[in-house]
Amino acid sequence: MRNYIKLLRSKFKKYGIDGYVIPKNDDFFTEYSKLNRLEVISNFSGSAGLAIILKNKNYLFTDGRYTIQSKIESGKNFKIYGFEKLINCNLFKNLTLGIDPKLFTNTQIKNYFLKYNKIKCVEKNLIDEIENQKKHVSKAFFSLDKNIVGESINSKLNKITKYLKKNKSDYIFISAPENVAWTLNIRGGDGPNSPVPNSRLIVSKSKKILLISNLKKCKQLLKNKIINRDEFLDINTLPSKIQHLKGKNFIIDDKSCSIFYENLIKSKFKIIKREDPIYFLKAIKNKTEIKNMINAHILDGVALTKFLFWIKKINKKKITEIEAAEKLENFRKLSKNFLYPSFDTIAGSGKNGAIVHYRAKKENCRVINNRDIFLCDSGGQYKYGTTDVTRTICFSKQKQTIKDVFTKVLKGHIAVATSDLNKQDTGKKIDRRARKFLNKSNLDYAHGTGHGVGFFLNVHEGPQSITKINTVKIREGMILSNEPGYYKANEYGIRIENLVYVKKTSNNLLFHNLTLAPIEKDLINFNLLTSNEKDYLFKYHLEVYSKISKYLNPNERKWLASFI
């Protein structure tokens, strides 16, 4: 790392900068990218972070999920802070910081930097100049049938053009690949764990489209007439195409339209709105998508239950965290509909479980000890559906204090699952319910309680989430995670996560579980549960048994029945 930092600093004079800013994201602003310039310079492998290299100091900013991990991976060479410290801080007062304009939005720059320092756009990415990462093979985009996604392209374009006309805009520039995927019912292979098609899209108020990518990726779409030849635009010809478009106004996406593309559009058009409506449209899953997600979770529940049975029985033999993660993936691979993990499996035993987004590596992973608590957060991409689930288990009798904490986490999990969404109608309100029982004991966790989940797409999506600040109204068809937790540094981590979807029954909005896997009973202090909470657990495990038991062998089935 030091050589890379030294090489980077050697370029400051040439570009007239006092420091350089390296974000985690690529130029498509995807959470999980095959490119990771931040890891190149800092050794930090988390999914959210930003480094600033000065002439004699290095800073790394990240969020509460990575407090421990960032110190382990980068603490030697970097001063580490939470993102909240970055917002208009005076650490970089009067300095000129260089950025790659394709990796930042104007909003990010305004929030983070402009109060105390200057920003200079550097056309070449300076990390790429030091180490140009391997170019990944381009995979062709493919289309999903209406029977899979439940809504035609034409129907979706009608919604978008209606939005354009309402806002008196001639065009929208859709810069987030997942929103392009939703609009055109396409997927790709550009993410390591998500079927995102790295591309951009322009839609006009007259419903004309321009898919912006490269020809190699779009050949299959053209061949199958998903798009016509005049609806495709090579990314390199976008600057000239913008100049030839007729009209006055554009809508862009504040979250994923970089300074580079915003300036390109502003060279001819007026930007009248900075909100992509597709985030919200995509968040409301239709009946077909919900049905497919339910089916994917049955497959996933079978795999996870088989794994839980196996690891509870096998743990008398020593296995590593890596071996456990590989075994779980092998159980998922038993389904012909499984494609690949929806994110890198988090398999943390003992103190590693306290690292919220821990990644086991062969050189540092632990052997799972019989006395350990084992936290396993994993998910799969299926044809067609996305899963995300966490279970925390034990292999021997645990201290009463640990069981009490696990039970408080469980009580919060149940409180979220049983929320009356007519009253607790935002993530902010629901989040309080999740933390209530831990907070009574002055305990808490430094991450949100839940995030939105895509349909055969990104495992994390918005705008809905269950956090201390999210005020987006919870609507029928939304899918979220329910994952309160607790982490004691250097000792253990606890998290219980199910995915839930919102369904309306007799005018009542309620969460319904998608995830189907048993919750560790050996860590529950049943004396802390109310009769309603015990009843919830009984009904949940009865549902799990009724839906997946026929796919289990006799021993697995008998073990699962013991949870009822």
Side-chain angles (χ1 to χ4, degrees):
M1 296 311 123
R2 282 180 178 172
N3 282 342
Y4 285 155
I5 290 171
K6 188 177 179 181
L7 284 169
L8 178 60
R9 285 174 174 159
S10 71
K11 297 176 181 294
F12 287 2
K13 187 175 180 180
K14 177 183 176 182
Y15 292 102
I17 56 178
D18 301 304
Y20 192 67
V21 189
I22 307 102
K24 166 64 177 71
N25 59 275
D26 61 10
D27 59 336
F28 288 95
F29 293 85
T30 47
E31 181 178 19
Y32 298 110
S33 170
K34 289 177 180 176
L35 284 175
N36 198 336
R37 298 179 179 101
L38 181 60
E39 187 171 9
V40 167
I41 202 70
S42 70
N43 199 45
F44 174 64
S45 62
S47 66
L50 179 146
I52 299 177
I53 309 296
L54 303 181
K55 291 175 181 176
N56 53 16
K57 289 181 182 177
N58 309 315
Y59 296 90
L60 177 66
F61 299 87
T62 185
D63 62 36
R65 294 172 296 170
Y66 297 111
T67 303
I68 299 173
Q69 181 180 334
S70 58
K71 289 176 182 175
I72 293 169
E73 293 179 340
S74 311
K76 189 176 178 182
N77 296 315
F78 285 77
K79 184 78 175 173
I80 296 169
Y81 292 110
F83 272 126
E84 67 281 355
K85 178 72 173 176
L86 179 60
I87 299 173
N88 283 325
C89 69
N90 59 6
L91 289 171
F92 317 108
K93 194 170 182 180
N94 300 324
L95 298 179
T96 298
L97 300 179
I99 65 162
D100 180 341
K102 290 184 177 179
L103 302 183
F104 289 90
T105 66
N106 263 314
T107 299
Q108 287 175 319
I109 296 302
K110 286 175 185 175
N111 286 344
Y112 291 161
F113 300 116
L114 290 187
K115 187 174 180 181
Y116 291 112
N117 48 275
K118 298 175 184 176
I119 289 295
K120 184 174 183 179
C121 291
V122 180
E123 285 187 18
K124 293 182 179 180
N125 187 284
L126 300 190
I127 303 302
D128 290 351
E129 285 198 339
I130 294 167
E131 183 184 281
N132 207 345
Q133 296 180 71
K134 289 180 183 178
K135 292 200 172 180
H136 299 275
V137 178
S138 291
K139 293 184 179 178
F141 299 164
F142 58 95
S143 61
L144 301 179
D145 192 87
K146 183 189 170 184
N147 294 332
I148 298 298
V149 294
E151 186 176 2
S152 68
I153 299 171
N154 190 56
S155 171
K156 292 177 177 182
L157 289 174
N158 283 338
K159 291 177 181 178
I160 294 168
T161 53
K162 183 180 178 182
Y163 182 85
L164 289 173
K165 289 170 184 176
K166 181 182 176 182
N167 288 278
K168 297 179 180 177
S169 182
D170 299 297
Y171 304 96
I172 182 169
F173 181 60
I174 302 166
S175 45
E178 63 268 30
N179 291 353
V180 177
W182 179 86
T183 304
L184 299 182
N185 290 338
I186 63 173
R187 300 294 187 268
D190 291 315
N193 302 103
S194 300
V196 289
N198 277 355
S199 55
R200 299 173 177 91
L201 183 69
I202 293 174
V203 179
S204 75
K205 64 182 180 183
S206 61
K207 218 159 68 173
K208 290 181 180 177
I209 65 168
L210 280 173
L211 177 61
I212 306 157
S213 187
N214 68 55
L215 187 58
K216 191 174 180 181
K217 290 184 179 183
C218 297
K219 272 188 175 179
Q220 200 65 34
L221 300 183
L222 291 163
K223 182 181 178 182
N224 295 336
K225 297 184 179 178
I226 304 302
I227 59 169
N228 299 319
R229 189 63 184 81
D230 62 352
E231 294 174 328
F232 166 78
L233 184 68
D234 186 276
I235 184 66
N236 297 315
T237 63
L238 179 60
S240 60
K241 186 66 179 180
I242 288 288
Q243 298 306 316
H244 287 93
L245 290 177
K246 295 179 180 179
K248 295 179 179 179
N249 300 325
F250 249 90
I251 292 173
I252 66 170
D253 174 19
D254 211 18
K255 299 178 184 67
S256 66
C257 182
S258 68
I259 293 168
F260 177 87
Y261 287 108
E262 180 177 335
N263 288 344
L264 189 62
I265 293 167
K266 281 199 300 190
S267 68
K268 182 176 179 184
F269 294 89
K270 182 179 180 182
I271 294 171
I272 61 167
K273 202 171 179 66
R274 297 170 174 270
E275 183 180 358
D276 186 344
I278 296 168
Y279 288 108
F280 187 80
L281 294 172
K282 177 163 57 67
I284 309 295
K285 309 299 186 286
N286 59 50
K287 290 179 181 179
T288 301
E289 290 172 315
I290 293 292
K291 178 186 172 185
N292 282 316
M293 285 288 272
I294 289 170
N295 291 336
H297 278 82
I298 291 172
L299 300 176
D300 203 60
V302 172
L304 183 58
T305 301
K306 283 178 173 289
F307 168 76
L308 292 172
F309 174 77
W310 172 83
I311 198 169
K312 290 278 279 187
K313 300 299 179 185
I314 201 70
N315 196 252
K316 289 174 184 176
K317 298 176 183 178
K318 299 300 180 185
I319 59 168
T320 67
E321 295 163 331
I322 290 279
E323 289 169 336
E326 288 174 348
K327 186 69 175 180
L328 175 52
E329 187 170 340
N330 286 336
F331 277 120
R332 286 193 166 106
K333 285 177 178 176
L334 293 175
S335 168
K336 64 181 180 181
N337 288 313
F338 174 75
L339 298 172
Y340 45 81
S342 55
F343 56 94
D344 291 337
T345 296
I346 299 165
S349 62
K351 66 179 183 179
N352 288 342
I355 303 170
V356 180
H357 273 203
Y358 170 70
R359 293 289 185 270
K361 298 175 182 176
K362 287 185 178 179
E363 62 269 20
N364 71 355
C365 72
R366 296 179 79 242
V367 170
I368 302 170
N369 193 289
N370 204 46
R371 297 187 300 275
D372 287 341
I373 289 178
F374 177 61
L375 185 155
C376 187
D377 187 347
S378 68
Q381 295 285 5
Y382 290 82
K383 301 175 191 176
Y384 296 89
T386 303
T387 72
D388 181 5
V389 52
T390 309
R391 289 295 182 264
T392 307
I393 62 173
C394 64
F395 311 100
S396 60
K397 189 174 181 180
Q398 296 294 317
K399 296 176 185 176
Q400 192 65 42
T401 52
I402 291 175
K403 292 178 73 171
D404 287 351
V405 173
F406 180 91
T407 308
K408 288 169 185 174
V409 172
L410 175 60
K411 287 168 75 73
H413 176 90
I414 294 172
V416 171
T418 56
S419 295
D420 180 349
L421 301 177
N422 289 328
K423 296 177 181 177
Q424 288 96 35
D425 59 352
T426 65
K428 183 176 180 179
K429 294 176 183 176
I430 298 167
D431 189 81
R432 286 196 288 265
R433 291 170 60 82
R435 298 176 195 271
K436 176 181 175 183
F437 306 98
L438 286 167
N439 288 169
K440 283 180 181 178
S441 303
N442 294 316
L443 304 176
D444 206 348
Y445 47 96
H447 60 75
T449 300
H451 54 83
V453 179
F455 169 70
F456 185 42
L457 210 49
N458 290 344
V459 75
H460 294 148
E461 72 168 31
Q464 78 279 19
S465 66
I466 304 173
T467 68
K468 292 179 179 180
I469 60 172
N470 193 286
T471 56
V472 173
K473 288 284 175 73
I474 302 297
R475 297 275 300 275
E476 183 177 17
M478 285 182 170
I479 296 176
L480 297 105
S481 67
N482 169 13
E483 50 180 312
Y486 178 73
Y487 312 90
K488 189 167 184 180
N490 295 315
E491 291 195 30
Y492 63 84
I494 293 168
R495 186 159 66 251
I496 305 168
E497 177 188 18
N498 280 3
L499 296 193
V500 294
Y501 71 97
V502 182
K503 185 177 179 181
K504 183 178 279 189
T505 307
S506 302
N507 274 340
N508 289 322
L509 278 182
L510 299 169
F511 282 136
H512 288 256
N513 280 303
L514 284 166
T515 304
L516 299 166
I519 295 169
E520 177 65 278
K521 62 182 178 181
D522 294 334
L523 282 171
I524 300 174
N525 178 356
F526 284 92
N527 293 326
L528 295 182
L529 297 181
T530 65
S531 57
N532 284 340
E533 289 165 340
K534 290 176 185 176
D535 188 50
Y536 170 87
L537 268 184
F538 169 78
K539 288 178 179 176
Y540 175 70
H541 283 124
L542 186 62
E543 181 185 19
V544 172
Y545 186 85
S546 67
K547 289 186 176 178
I548 72 170
S549 61
K550 62 184 177 181
Y551 303 107
L552 305 176
N553 68 38
N555 289 332
E556 293 163 343
R557 198 177 302 127
K558 183 179 178 182
W559 175 75
L560 181 60
S562 70
F563 286 83
I564 300 172

